[in-house]
Amino acid sequence: MDNVIASNHSPVETPPEVTLIPNNSLLTETPEEGRQLAVKMARLIIKLTQPDDEKRKQLRDVYGNDAMMLIAVGQTVATEFATIAAANNYWQK
Amino acid sequence: MDNVIASNHSPVETPPEVTLIPNNSLLTETPEEGRQLAVKMARLIIKLTQPDDEKRKQLRDVYGNDAMMLIAVGQTVATEFATIAAANNYWQK
Amino acid sequence: MDNVIASNHSPVETPPEVTLIPNNSLLTETPEEGRQLAVKMARLIIKLTQPDDEKRKQLRDVYGNDAMMLIAVGQTVATEFATIAAANNYWQK
Amino acid sequence: MDNVIASNHSPVETPPEVTLIPNNSLLTETPEEGRQLAVKMARLIIKLTQPDDEKRKQLRDVYGNDAMMLIAVGQTVATEFATIAAANNYWQK
Amino acid sequence: MDNVIASNHSPVETPPEVTLIPNNSLLTETPEEGRQLAVKMARLIIKLTQPDDEKRKQLRDVYGNDAMMLIAVGQTVATEFATIAAANNYWQK
Amino acid sequence: MDNVIASNHSPVETPPEVTLIPNNSLLTETPEEGRQLAVKMARLIIKLTQPDDEKRKQLRDVYGNDAMMLIAVGQTVATEFATIAAANNYWQK
């Protein structure tokens, strides 16, 4: 969240240390891979916002035992997946 | 949530133990089946985030008696369903 | 929420007791009927998540007097309705 | 919220006392009227969920002085408006 | 929030004192102007909901020092902007 | 949040001090750059709402150690990215 809220260094102007989209593409072979990409993209925004590995680890127990947060993660992944699915024309043949 | 926040093992790079999309397809015969798939996909993200069956069971009572969480589940399913419905051209004949 | 979080029985694999989409169709004659369907679909996800009628009744007073929850219900219905409206081409002549 | 969570009477099966979409149409002459319709539709879902006028009035002070709820109302109206705007082809000439 | 929850005067039936969309159009020359319109539209819904200038001012300090609310404002603006961007065909040449 | 809630000076009428969209364009060469733009746009709305650099810095520790806020940031970025991805036709060749 640091850089989102208060950083003076724009990710656009200065390359972030974190790659935000693996392989720099939204296209995947299958829906399953698209879903995995959605999870990955959600995770990378969190990593960009809180780059400290230790802090993220400390937050694990909070997440795993908080029902509302589990649901909220699902909401975020669903939003990411909507974009990926559209990019792949929903993998229609 | 663990792997979403802090795991070093990317679901993209290492196959997750959890299948995220049953049958690896967003296409269903009917809206009803599409709705069931939306519920399933929402559930599988939670399972991926909190793989411990016991912990998820302990969270049951929390969910079942919390009005706000019930609504939040509905919001997540609605978002998943929007994608599935679009993938199926809304099951228009 | 039970089955969303922790059930071992997938709604996809085992037919749920709850019908999730009345008439198994997103198509309605009018916007008003589409809106009613959105409310119905939101309600049925809650019923699927908390099948106990008594528990749902006990949550009534919580909902009816909580401003934030009233708003949250509106958000969920709005999301469901967006899908239904698209399915019906917004009822354009 | 009552009927959303626990009513036995489906809005689909039994006509609701509340008209959910004025004039039974998403089409408006102008964006301004579309925006007003979005506010109206959001309000009518709340009325459907909490039909008691007195209770809704009692919740007024809660809303008016709660910053987060003001924002949440804005989120819901934004979602409703997205659908209405699409229905009107964004009022493009 | 007052009129959203409990007003007897529909914004559709009685013209609101607040203009909800400046210039009554979603079309802008540039993305930057579209973004400014999104902020404006989000603000006007709040003004419609809480018309008292003093009360809105009192809520300033709450907002400015609450991280979650800052994020929530961003979410609402993002949703408004999505509609405006679509209305302008994303300002593609 | 100040200007969103209570400012008398409309961003539309008076140019904001903050540029809301870098380069005044949603178009990017790659998905990665589009993702960075999404983060940047989310950050700039927060900057517009809370222009005080010191206050934003003070909120850093709050964000970085709050799991729910980390997720909420992800939700906002996902929404911004959906618009950017659509603007770029999902970077399809």
Side-chain angles (χ1 to χ4, degrees):
Chain A
M1 179 68 63
D2 293 3
N3 38 18
V4 171
I5 296 293
S7 85
N8 294 316
H9 307 292
S10 155
V12 171
E13 293 156 18
T14 62
E17 302 174 10
V18 179
T19 295
L20 298 178
I21 300 181
N23 302 320
N24 203 359
S25 172
L26 299 182
L27 307 182
T28 69
E29 288 295 318
T30 66
E32 180 73 20
E33 291 177 17
R35 194 74 169 168
Q36 292 169 6
L37 177 58
V39 172
K40 182 74 171 177
M41 285 171 57
R43 186 174 75 79
L44 289 170
I45 292 297
I46 292 174
K47 189 175 182 182
L48 177 72
T49 307
Q50 174 48 275
D52 187 321
D53 288 351
E54 284 308 309
K55 287 189 182 174
R56 288 203 309 279
K57 282 182 184 175
Q58 289 168 11
L59 293 171
R60 280 190 196 179
D61 287 340
V62 179
Y63 287 108
N65 293 289
D66 187 304
M68 194 60 175
M69 290 185 191
L70 288 172
I71 299 167
V73 168
Q75 180 66 37
T76 299
V77 171
T79 304
E80 300 285 14
F81 183 68
T83 301
I84 294 166
N88 289 277
N89 291 317
Y90 305 99
W91 300 275
Q92 292 170 335
K93 298 297 149 63
Chain B
M1 180 67 63
D2 293 5
N3 38 18
V4 172
I5 295 293
S7 85
N8 294 317
H9 306 293
S10 155
V12 173
E13 293 156 18
T14 62
E17 302 174 11
V18 179
T19 296
L20 298 178
I21 299 181
N23 302 321
N24 203 359
S25 172
L26 300 181
L27 306 182
T28 69
E29 288 295 318
T30 66
E32 181 73 20
E33 291 177 17
R35 193 75 170 169
Q36 293 169 5
L37 177 58
V39 172
K40 182 74 170 177
M41 285 172 56
R43 187 174 74 80
L44 289 170
I45 292 297
I46 292 174
K47 189 175 181 181
L48 177 72
T49 307
Q50 174 48 275
D52 187 322
D53 289 351
E54 284 307 310
K55 287 190 182 175
R56 289 204 309 279
K57 282 181 185 177
Q58 289 168 10
L59 293 172
R60 280 190 196 180
D61 287 339
V62 179
Y63 287 107
N65 294 288
D66 187 304
M68 194 59 176
M69 290 185 190
L70 288 173
I71 300 168
V73 168
Q75 180 65 37
T76 299
V77 171
T79 304
E80 300 285 14
F81 184 67
T83 300
I84 293 165
N88 288 277
N89 292 318
Y90 305 99
W91 299 275
Q92 293 170 334
K93 298 296 149 65
Chain C
M1 180 67 62
D2 292 5
N3 37 17
V4 173
I5 295 292
S7 85
N8 293 318
H9 305 293
S10 156
V12 172
E13 293 156 19
T14 61
E17 302 174 10
V18 180
T19 296
L20 298 178
I21 299 181
N23 302 320
N24 203 359
S25 173
L26 300 181
L27 306 182
T28 68
E29 288 294 318
T30 65
E32 181 73 21
E33 291 178 16
R35 193 73 168 170
Q36 293 169 5
L37 178 58
V39 172
K40 182 75 170 175
M41 284 172 57
R43 187 174 75 80
L44 289 170
I45 291 299
I46 292 175
K47 189 175 181 182
L48 177 72
T49 308
Q50 174 50 275
D52 187 320
D53 289 350
E54 285 307 309
K55 286 189 183 176
R56 289 205 307 280
K57 282 182 184 175
Q58 289 168 12
L59 293 171
R60 280 190 195 180
D61 287 340
V62 178
Y63 287 107
N65 294 288
D66 187 304
M68 194 59 175
M69 290 184 190
L70 287 173
I71 300 168
V73 168
Q75 180 65 37
T76 300
V77 171
T79 304
E80 300 286 14
F81 183 67
T83 300
I84 293 165
N88 289 278
N89 292 318
Y90 305 99
W91 298 275
Q92 293 170 333
K93 299 295 150 67
Chain D
M1 180 68 63
D2 292 5
N3 38 15
V4 172
I5 295 293
S7 84
N8 293 319
H9 306 291
S10 156
V12 172
E13 292 157 19
T14 61
E17 302 174 10
V18 179
T19 295
L20 297 178
I21 300 181
N23 302 319
N24 203 358
S25 173
L26 299 181
L27 306 183
T28 68
E29 288 293 319
T30 66
E32 181 73 21
E33 291 177 16
R35 194 72 169 171
Q36 293 168 7
L37 178 58
V39 172
K40 181 77 171 175
M41 285 172 57
R43 185 173 76 80
L44 289 170
I45 291 298
I46 292 174
K47 189 175 181 181
L48 177 72
T49 308
Q50 174 48 277
D52 187 321
D53 289 352
E54 284 308 308
K55 286 190 182 175
R56 289 204 309 279
K57 282 182 184 175
Q58 289 168 12
L59 293 170
R60 280 190 195 179
D61 287 340
V62 178
Y63 287 107
N65 294 288
D66 187 305
M68 194 59 175
M69 291 184 191
L70 288 172
I71 300 168
V73 168
Q75 179 66 37
T76 300
V77 171
T79 303
E80 301 285 14
F81 184 68
T83 301
I84 294 166
N88 288 277
N89 292 317
Y90 305 99
W91 299 275
Q92 293 170 334
K93 298 297 150 65
Chain E
M1 179 68 64
D2 293 4
N3 38 14
V4 173
I5 296 293
S7 84
N8 293 319
H9 306 292
S10 155
V12 171
E13 292 157 18
T14 61
E17 302 174 10
V18 179
T19 295
L20 298 177
I21 299 182
N23 302 318
N24 203 358
S25 173
L26 299 181
L27 306 182
T28 69
E29 288 294 318
T30 66
E32 180 74 20
E33 291 178 16
R35 194 72 169 170
Q36 293 169 7
L37 178 58
V39 172
K40 181 76 172 177
M41 285 171 58
R43 185 174 76 80
L44 289 170
I45 291 298
I46 292 174
K47 189 175 181 182
L48 177 72
T49 307
Q50 174 47 276
D52 187 321
D53 289 351
E54 284 307 308
K55 286 190 182 174
R56 290 204 308 279
K57 282 182 184 175
Q58 289 168 11
L59 293 171
R60 281 190 194 179
D61 286 341
V62 178
Y63 287 108
N65 294 288
D66 188 305
M68 195 58 175
M69 291 185 191
L70 289 172
I71 299 167
V73 168
Q75 180 65 37
T76 300
V77 171
T79 304
E80 300 286 14
F81 184 67
T83 301
I84 294 166
N88 288 278
N89 292 318
Y90 306 99
W91 299 274
Q92 293 170 334
K93 300 295 148 70
Chain F
M1 179 67 64
D2 293 4
N3 38 15
V4 172
I5 296 293
S7 85
N8 293 317
H9 306 292
S10 155
V12 172
E13 292 157 18
T14 62
E17 302 174 10
V18 179
T19 295
L20 297 178
I21 299 181
N23 302 319
N24 203 358
S25 172
L26 299 181
L27 306 182
T28 69
E29 288 295 319
T30 66
E32 180 73 20
E33 291 178 16
R35 194 74 169 168
Q36 292 168 8
L37 178 58
V39 172
K40 181 75 171 176
M41 285 171 59
R43 186 174 75 78
L44 289 170
I45 291 297
I46 292 175
K47 189 175 181 182
L48 177 72
T49 307
Q50 174 48 274
D52 187 320
D53 288 352
E54 284 307 309
K55 286 190 182 173
R56 289 204 308 278
K57 282 182 184 174
Q58 289 168 11
L59 293 171
R60 280 190 196 179
D61 287 341
V62 178
Y63 287 109
N65 293 289
D66 188 305
M68 194 59 175
M69 290 185 191
L70 288 172
I71 299 167
V73 168
Q75 180 65 36
T76 299
V77 171
T79 304
E80 300 286 14
F81 184 67
T83 301
I84 294 166
N88 288 277
N89 291 317
Y90 306 99
W91 299 274
Q92 293 170 334
K93 300 294 149 66

